[in-house]
Amino acid sequence: MAQVLESGQLTMGPKVAELEALLAEACAVEHALVVSSGTAALHLAVLALGLGPGDEVLVPAYTFPATANVVAHVGAKPVLVDVDPRTMNLDPERAATAATPRTRAVIAVHLFGRPLDWEGLRDALPESIVLVEDAAGALGARRRDRPCGGLGHLGCLSFHPRKIVTTGEGGAVTTPDADLAQRIREMRDHGIDRRGDFEIASPGLNYRLSDILCAVGIPQLERLEELLSARERLAAAYSERLSAVAELPSAEEGDRHGWQAYVVQIDRRDEALRALREEGIEAQIGTYALHRLGAYRDQRPFPGADRCYERALALPFHTQLTESDQQRVCEVLLAVVADR
Ligand SMILES: *Cc1c(COP(=O)(O)O)cnc(C)c1O
């Protein structure tokens, strides 16, 4: 960061390219473009695909709302699809049922870092439907032998503080497609084509990530494996203690979980949440059931999403967590269950 400040080039400088090269490598994909947030990444992905009025985009009913918000914002229709309550991820069969001739894309989420059944989803849908990956919480995760964030026609990453690599705010779009990469590069920068005469062929936005923030991300990305291993150890420690009282998160055999969050499912979740908070332990619900929000209330029912929304509990999870912290969390949870 000091280097960036001394250089005077605070944005669009060499740190952007350096972080992008590391991301492309981590996701095993040709192009990575850093942007100002995960939401900006998703917005640019739907814009780059030219989605708009009359188009439908499948999104999971249980996800962080940005996944659907960006679709609504370009005038296309986010069509909610229920999740499998066991994996909390999009159900490929239900996606196939929800697809219509107007369906142009699906934004598939690896929720909390658990890799989605990618091949199952691809096989369930017609070739003409583009698969966009919301890998906001899945940097470092692997689906079989391939890194998440590099599976789709477009992939979207977030560097929000709740993700494994953070720049405070930040994100990236990945793609194997050179034309899409160029369109996104221009669109994040007002639409300017910096390769030639600085023409603006179509209007863009300012979704750039400053070099100061890229400098924050670079060393974290260099030790991504170390960060992920630490999270794997923490997840295993929770799982060992909680197997008798909660449904535990896991990845499919042969996959690697990205552990963006450690989210169990438990009966009478609200009671457990209250007990943790009374002990000064900051826990949270998992994420949102979109059909329960004013913006998406017209679509229902989604029993899988309802079940997750009512039962998911995100436990404290970060690499500074100590063994005694984890023990305290588990003691409170075990006491709540024993009390019933
Ligand atoms: C964090 C997250 C986002 C949004 O990313 P921001 O960087 O906060 O804009 C979108 N989708 C999912 C699944 C996320 O976890």
Side-chain angles (χ1 to χ4, degrees):
M1 285 172 76
Q3 233 178 53
V4 172
L5 294 173
E6 276 158 26
S7 79
Q9 188 161 11
L10 305 189
T11 192
M12 301 293 277
K15 293 294 174 197
V16 169
E18 203 178 321
L19 180 55
E20 289 181 342
L22 286 167
L23 287 167
E25 195 190 336
C27 297
V29 68
E30 196 69 28
H31 308 278
L33 296 312
V34 294
V35 295
S36 51
S37 71
T39 304
L42 289 162
H43 192 196
L44 289 177
V46 295
L47 286 170
L49 291 172
L51 302 178
D55 297 329
E56 292 178 359
V57 178
L58 307 182
V59 298
Y62 185 63
T63 181
F64 189 71
T67 316
N69 286 347
V70 297
V71 175
H73 254 283
V74 298
K77 181 180 167 136
V79 174
L80 308 188
V81 176
D82 208 6
V83 296
D84 175 344
R86 196 181 50 83
T87 66
M88 298 192 267
N89 277 335
L90 194 64
D91 181 333
E93 270 174 46
R94 290 211 175 85
T97 310
T100 75
R102 289 181 299 281
T103 308
R104 296 269 317 276
V106 44
I107 305 183
V109 182
H110 307 290
L111 199 66
F112 309 131
R114 179 192 162 109
L116 168 106
D117 173 8
W118 191 259
E119 305 72 32
L121 184 63
R122 182 67 281 175
D123 292 346
L125 297 171
E127 273 301 315
S128 59
I129 296 179
V130 176
L131 263 58
V132 177
E133 212 185 347
D134 180 345
L139 180 60
R142 295 181 86 85
R143 170 64 185 168
R144 310 246 163 105
D145 56 349
R146 296 173 64 202
C148 294
L151 304 175
H153 203 51
L154 288 157
C156 301
L157 302 169
S158 164
F159 310 133
H160 180 270
R162 278 190 68 174
K163 320 295 164 142
I164 188 163
V165 164
T166 183
T167 56
E169 298 284 0
V173 188
T174 64
T175 180
D177 184 319
D179 292 336
L180 276 178
Q182 183 55 26
R183 210 172 305 161
I184 289 162
R185 193 175 288 116
E186 289 170 15
M187 263 191 308
R188 75 168 170 191
D189 185 23
H190 306 292
I192 301 170
D193 182 356
R194 292 184 186 268
R195 293 171 308 176
D197 53 4
F198 287 61
E199 157 72 344
I200 293 178
S202 63
L205 295 153
N206 176 0
Y207 278 170
R208 296 180 307 239
L209 189 66
S210 81
D211 279 55
I212 303 169
L213 294 182
C214 290
V216 176
I218 288 165
Q220 294 174 64
L221 215 66
E222 285 171 341
R223 55 191 191 95
L224 179 60
E225 180 54 41
E226 191 187 315
L227 293 172
L228 189 53
S229 305
R231 283 172 180 248
E232 279 172 338
R233 278 194 299 278
L234 292 165
Y238 268 141
S239 292
E240 198 179 311
R241 291 186 163 98
L242 296 174
S243 61
V245 296
E247 249 176 80
L248 305 176
S250 66
E252 204 175 287
E253 184 75 36
D255 290 355
R256 189 175 193 189
H257 204 298
W259 297 116
Q260 183 245 321
Y262 186 87
V263 181
V264 298
Q265 291 188 68
I266 189 167
D267 292 334
R268 290 149 75 190
R269 187 270 324 269
D270 291 343
E271 207 179 298
L273 191 54
R274 214 174 308 122
L276 287 166
R277 288 181 175 169
E278 273 166 17
E279 291 298 318
I281 296 169
E282 196 180 323
Q284 253 311 346
I285 63 163
T287 191
Y288 297 81
L290 301 190
H291 66 292
R292 290 179 171 219
L293 303 173
Y296 302 104
R297 228 182 264 286
D298 57 325
Q299 298 180 52
R300 59 185 56 228
F302 300 103
D306 278 326
R307 186 175 165 85
C308 296
Y309 183 70
E310 286 161 11
R311 301 180 75 244
L313 177 64
L315 299 181
F317 199 67
H318 55 82
T319 43
Q320 310 298 313
L321 209 59
T322 65
E323 203 182 323
S324 70
D325 290 335
Q326 285 191 293
Q327 190 163 347
R328 241 186 92 216
V329 173
C330 295
E331 274 166 12
V332 175
L333 277 182
L334 293 168
V336 168
V337 173
D339 224 28
R340 288 174 182 170

